[in-house]
Amino acid sequence: MAPYRLDVISLAPQAFAPLPEVGVIGRAFGAGIAELHLHNPRDHAIDRHRKVDDVPYGGGAGMVLKPEPVFAAYEAVPVCPRRRVLLMSPQGQPLRQADLQRWSKEYDQLVFLCGHYEGFDERIRSLADEEVSMGDFVLTGGELPAMTIINGVVRLLPGTVGTPESLVEESHSDLLLEHSHYTRPADFRGMTVPDVLRSGDHGAVALWRQQQREQRTQERRPDLWKRWQQIQNPPAKP
């Protein structure tokens, strides 16, 4: 089975150096589950100064990423049959766990377009299948968002996590937040492990954990709780 291919188009490829070396994600790269390829638009600049940005038409502060080197870098990336191109942008759709699950299952290649400077030429948007945001804030570039998605997708690939069952009930896997966890000692500074977890009654434990997930979601993320309830109780058909 071919590795899951990750191609990043970035002016700061050195930012991705730790990914293949750290923890579970690094081991996944080492085991050939996924492979990372970095492409610098500066390598495709056509002038002797390797210029990748310019002043914006109409004036304004900052510099804008030029389309020519980005398009050239993009067109140099090999194309796998099941490919998705993601543009990192604060104007994109907020990232959700369902997106990571979808990309890990439905595609064999992700291409990341990482902006920089004040922004990018609008025509670069035409390359993307989706625009993705980490939230309602702005960073200096798309590298950290791209690394976040790479981490989230690679950990879902078969063989990355030693116990696949641990991915099933974690936070956001089905909108609900994850239940609390405990390990030994049973009593730590007066804080005790709930009796049900030490009862040996697997049915009672499962019920307690589900109740915990619902309670935590309702208290901490009422927006997710509302969406989960709508799924559990869809409106009756007329």
Side-chain angles (χ1 to χ4, degrees):
M1 184 176 179
Y4 194 104
R5 184 177 174 109
L6 300 155
D7 290 277
V8 181
I9 298 174
S10 166
L11 291 173
Q14 66 275 15
F16 295 85
L19 276 179
E21 302 175 1
V22 179
V24 172
I25 303 303
R27 290 196 294 272
F29 284 116
I33 295 171
E35 58 184 26
L36 178 64
H37 300 271
L38 304 172
H39 314 271
N40 193 336
R42 200 175 298 278
D43 296 334
H44 298 269
I46 57 178
D47 69 303
R48 64 189 181 93
H49 298 294
R50 301 174 71 196
K51 190 174 179 63
V52 295
D53 64 327
D54 210 334
V55 296
Y57 277 114
M63 302 291 281
V64 174
L65 195 59
K66 291 165 60 67
E68 305 101 305
V70 175
F71 270 72
Y74 169 83
E75 290 165 355
V77 175
V79 179
C80 296
R82 300 197 307 165
R83 181 174 80 157
R84 200 69 171 166
V85 182
L86 308 180
L87 176 66
M88 305 294 97
S89 168
Q91 298 183 27
Q93 290 296 311
L95 177 66
R96 293 179 175 177
Q97 183 67 20
D99 297 318
L100 301 174
Q101 294 168 338
R102 172 169 57 89
W103 295 327
S104 70
K105 294 176 182 178
E106 298 181 9
Y107 301 98
D108 302 315
Q109 179 187 24
L110 290 180
V111 179
F112 298 87
L113 300 172
C114 299
H116 223 70
Y117 305 117
E118 183 65 23
F120 45 80
D121 187 288
E122 184 69 15
R123 291 163 288 192
I124 293 173
R125 292 186 190 274
S126 67
L127 300 175
D129 297 308
E130 300 181 50
E131 294 187 30
V132 187
S133 169
M134 295 295 107
D136 297 335
F137 54 88
V138 179
L139 302 174
T140 56
E143 287 74 23
L144 286 174
M147 283 189 275
T148 299
I149 293 175
I150 290 171
N151 184 297
V153 167
V154 171
R155 68 184 294 272
L156 294 175
L157 298 178
T160 296
V161 177
T163 308
E165 292 80 7
S166 65
L167 302 173
V168 175
E169 291 187 353
E170 62 186 1
S171 294
H172 305 293
S173 60
D174 59 359
L175 295 180
L176 295 179
L177 301 182
E178 192 171 11
H179 56 77
S180 55
H181 294 274
Y182 294 89
T183 188
R184 289 174 286 189
D187 188 326
F188 176 70
R189 298 183 180 181
M191 296 178 283
T192 59
V193 176
D195 291 338
V196 65
L197 297 180
R198 295 181 287 163
S199 68
D201 187 334
H202 298 296
V205 169
L207 178 61
W208 180 86
R209 286 176 170 170
Q210 180 63 20
Q211 291 171 340
Q212 278 269 304
R213 299 181 72 210
E214 294 181 21
Q215 180 181 344
R216 284 193 167 199
T217 307
Q218 188 174 10
E219 293 174 350
R220 302 180 184 189
R221 290 293 303 274
D223 57 324
L224 293 180
W225 174 251
K226 183 177 179 179
R227 288 169 53 199
W228 184 79
Q229 284 190 308
Q230 289 173 343
I231 292 174
Q232 300 303 309
N233 303 290
K237 294 182 180 180

